[in-house]
Amino acid sequence: MTIHKAVIPAAGLGTRFLPATKSTPKEMLPVVDKPAIQYVVEEAVKAGLDDVLLITGRSKRTLADHFDAVPELEAALEAKGDLDRLAKVRESTDLGHVHFVRQGQPKGLGHAVLQAKHHVGHEPFAVLLGDDLIDERDELLSTMLALQERTGGSVIALLEVPPAQISMYGCAAVEPFDGAEGGDAADTVRITGLVEKPPADEAPSNLAIIGRYVLHPAVFEILENTAPGRGGEIQLTDALATLAELPASEGGGVYGVVFRGRRYDTGDRLDYLKAVVQIAVDRPDLGPEFRTWLGEFAQTLSTPQSD
């Protein structure tokens, strides 16, 4: 079955970015000149997922506004002959079919995904988290979609991290996957167990779950019966651990793709700043001049200042 639906949970409170997120959703914080959420929607659409559902919450109306048309602004730009900016304004409106549903209370990622049940129905679907931006030059989501189609199960994205950092992530226990194909075989694994943010000395591996999933719809029934876990929230990781134990006939089987490309973490302030710089220096319109300035600025930091 061809997958064409993507779910993007975007109902978090953004407390790590206060006070900026007091009235502005964290997903709308700009990464150079586009909000983070637009990068994620663009990634989904590029992979063929043109039916996108955003799970939002209170004070998130600007997310819907961003993907809506703005006739007054468009007319003003067109009258001025500013066609370049007009095209940029229309990009978000023309991306695909973007829908919205509210998560009444922030009860965890698993609960947020569960809000998509009626929209998704009985089809496999992708979940993309807005904190993780994947460079458009690197293949990840399309690889995951192909693996799901081949196996019929669920697929999660994994990233090797230093063992000391694994307690910040969900962590996967893995084994080689005999059904892997071609050059991707070394980066494709079968998931045998999952644990949410384990202590470093209890982690089954250094493979962290990052924010890309392709899920079998059986996950919805499991989420409905998943008790609150770590942090008192309904954890998607717990539901996936249950899926990993089920037979394929019941929608079971969980696989992993180990990602080795460029990932930009906008989940906290320092990593957000790094992401902005990394993306800006690679932009052909900004990169050359920005790189020069960065070099000059770095030089001032290494030069002793006289009194």
Side-chain angles (χ1 to χ4, degrees), residues 160-169 197-201 203 205-208:
E160 290 182 336
V161 300
Q165 295 180 12
I166 196 64
S167 61
M168 301 166 56
Y169 299 88
K197 297 181 178 178
D201 59 351
S205 74
N206 70 329
L207 291 174

Side-chain angles (χ1 to χ4, degrees), residues 162-248:
Q165 295 180 12
I166 196 64
S167 61
M168 301 166 56
Y169 299 88
C171 177
V174 305
E175 65 182 18
F177 174 43
D178 293 338
E181 295 182 353
D184 295 333
D187 295 331
T188 304
V189 295
R190 187 190 302 273
I191 307 296
T192 59
L194 294 160
V195 59
E196 182 68 20
K197 297 181 178 178
D201 59 351
E202 298 178 15
S205 74
N206 70 329
L207 291 174
I209 303 168
I210 59 173
R212 298 295 181 271
Y213 311 77
V214 182
L215 303 179
H216 189 283
V219 74
F220 290 126
E221 183 177 353
I222 294 172
L223 285 169
E224 289 175 328
N225 295 285
T226 297
R230 187 178 180 88
E233 298 180 334
I234 298 174
Q235 298 289 351
L236 180 59
T237 302
D238 294 341
L240 290 171
T242 300
L243 267 182
E245 298 174 354
L246 292 179

Side-chain angles (χ1 to χ4, degrees), residues 31 34 36 38-44 46 127-142 144 157-159 210-213 257 259-266 275 279:
V31 181
K34 288 191 295 191
Q38 184 169 332
Y39 288 90
V40 181
V41 174
E42 288 173 348
E43 179 189 348
K46 180 184 176 184
V127 175
L128 298 85
L129 304 190
D131 287 349
D132 284 328
L133 304 187
I134 303 298
D135 195 291
E136 64 180 0
R137 296 167 292 184
D138 295 319
E139 293 292 333
L140 175 59
L141 192 53
S142 59
M144 296 173 67
L158 302 172
L159 182 73
I210 59 173
R212 298 295 181 271
Y213 311 77
V257 173
F259 181 59
R260 306 189 189 280
R262 288 156 286 200
R263 166 182 174 258
Y264 310 112
D265 184 357
T266 61
I279 290 174

Side-chain angles (χ1 to χ4, degrees), residues 9-54:
L13 299 176
T15 53
R16 288 179 291 178
F17 275 89
L18 287 170
T21 50
K22 180 180 178 181
S23 59
T24 301
K26 67 174 183 177
E27 297 83 7
M28 290 299 296
L29 294 177
V31 181
V32 187
D33 55 3
K34 288 191 295 191
I37 193 68
Q38 184 169 332
Y39 288 90
V40 181
V41 174
E42 288 173 348
E43 179 189 348
V45 172
K46 180 184 176 184
L49 309 174
D50 61 352
D51 187 334
V52 180
L53 178 68
L54 269 66

Side-chain angles (χ1 to χ4, degrees), residues 246-299:
L246 292 179
S249 60
E250 297 178 23
V254 180
Y255 305 86
V257 173
V258 182
F259 181 59
R260 306 189 189 280
R262 288 156 286 200
R263 166 182 174 258
Y264 310 112
D265 184 357
T266 61
D268 65 35
R269 291 170 298 175
L270 180 58
D271 285 332
Y272 169 80
L273 292 173
K274 292 178 181 178
V276 172
V277 172
Q278 289 173 307
I279 290 174
V281 297
D282 283 340
R283 285 264 300 258
D285 58 333
L286 298 172
E289 186 174 350
F290 189 42
R291 284 174 182 270
T292 299
W293 178 84
L294 279 176
E296 295 170 349
F297 180 66
Q299 184 64 34

